Amino acid sequence: AAAAAAAAGADAAGGETVDRKSAVVKGGKEAAAAAEEGAGRAAFHARLFALLLRYKSIQGYGFQASVGPDVFHALRASLGAGFECFASPLNTFFGRFCGAFPDVDAPFGSSGDFFALPAAALKRGCFQANPPFVGAVMTSMASRIEALLSAAEADQQPLSFAVFVPGWTDEPAWAAMKGSSFLTAHFVVAAGDHGYCDGAAHQRKDAFRASLYDTGVFVLQSSRAAASAVGR
């Protein structure tokens, strides 16, 4: 009986030791998880601060305005659009986009600069393009879109671009897109009939701003895209 009692006591002591070790291990894991979560939160806040400071410093939220959600829904339904060529983490709708500042945009999903994005990433699909209303940028955009569509045509790839630019008909970009052989649709929306999502919507009560100009809408497509069910 004495031996049995001693054995039982030893088992109990051993069990307590195991429980203490388990508690220590569990506590260590919880502490490590808490530390990792804290570090992740701190990194997120640092990246968010850098992002907000960058866009605040350029003092040009108008350059970051975007078309509204209804337009994006229509583009996705009618053309299968799912990528924005000119956006930011503050105004992207699809969540797949190119941004102006890869260093601060990348942690929030940016694929980089549209003009530096490899052509292989733009060889098929439908892309929305609403560039900054700067003549040189729009001209470079029109030139790249034309080159991409020419490559898609040669490779028989379905490629489309839905482009939104101000109604500045004397701009080279306007003439280039209107005269493109890939143009399948084009219309102008009067300034008084529409607006844009403000680039500073994250800090404004009203997310929209009235458009100062007419907006020209261009749909440019390769033959295969135009002939597809989505393209029609």
Side-chain angles (χ1 to χ4, degrees):
D11 289 343
E16 290 177 0
T17 301
V18 171
D19 289 343
R20 284 197 296 271
K21 288 182 177 178
S22 296
V24 169
V25 171
K26 182 180 179 181
K29 289 182 177 179
E30 290 177 349
E36 184 176 352
E37 181 182 353
R41 188 181 299 110
F44 170 75
H45 287 161
R47 290 168 178 167
L48 180 60
F49 175 76
L51 175 78
L52 294 173
L53 184 62
R54 176 67 60 80
Y55 282 94
K56 180 72 172 179
S57 68
I58 64 174
Q59 298 180 355
Y61 282 123
F63 293 137
Q64 297 300 320
S66 67
V67 299
D70 289 347
V71 176
F72 281 117
H73 284 303
L75 291 176
R76 182 156 54 190
S78 61
L79 295 172
F83 190 99
E84 298 159 75
C85 298
F86 300 90
S88 81
L90 302 176
N91 69 9
T92 180
F93 179 84
F94 293 129
R96 300 176 60 235
F97 65 99
C98 285
F101 307 110
D103 59 328
V104 296
D105 292 344
F108 298 93
S110 173
S111 296
D113 184 355
F114 170 71
F115 298 108
L117 197 65
L122 298 163
K123 68 179 182 180
R124 61 182 295 145
C126 179
F127 301 83
Q128 184 264 7
N130 178 28
F133 293 175
V134 177
V137 176
M138 293 189 292
T139 298
S140 295
M141 174 205 66
S143 178
R144 180 154 210 223
I145 286 176
E146 186 74 13
L148 290 166
L149 285 167
S150 295
E153 190 72 16
D155 294 339
Q156 297 185 349
Q157 294 288 345
L159 180 63
S160 302
F161 288 90
V163 183
F164 298 79
V165 293
W168 300 343
T169 57
D170 56 344
E171 281 289 334
W174 185 283
M177 290 188 290
K178 192 169 183 181
S180 173
S181 62
F182 299 110
L183 183 68
T184 58
H186 165 58
F187 58 90
V188 176
V189 183
D193 293 339
H194 73 296
Y196 285 88
C197 288
D198 197 287
H202 60 285
Q203 62 184 41
R204 294 170 61 98
K205 291 182 178 180
D206 186 356
F208 298 94
R209 64 159 58 194
S211 179
L212 299 176
Y213 315 101
D214 294 348
T215 291
V217 182
F218 296 81
V219 178
L220 302 109
Q221 300 178 285
S222 65
S223 297
R224 189 170 179 186
S228 69
V230 171
R232 290 195 295 270

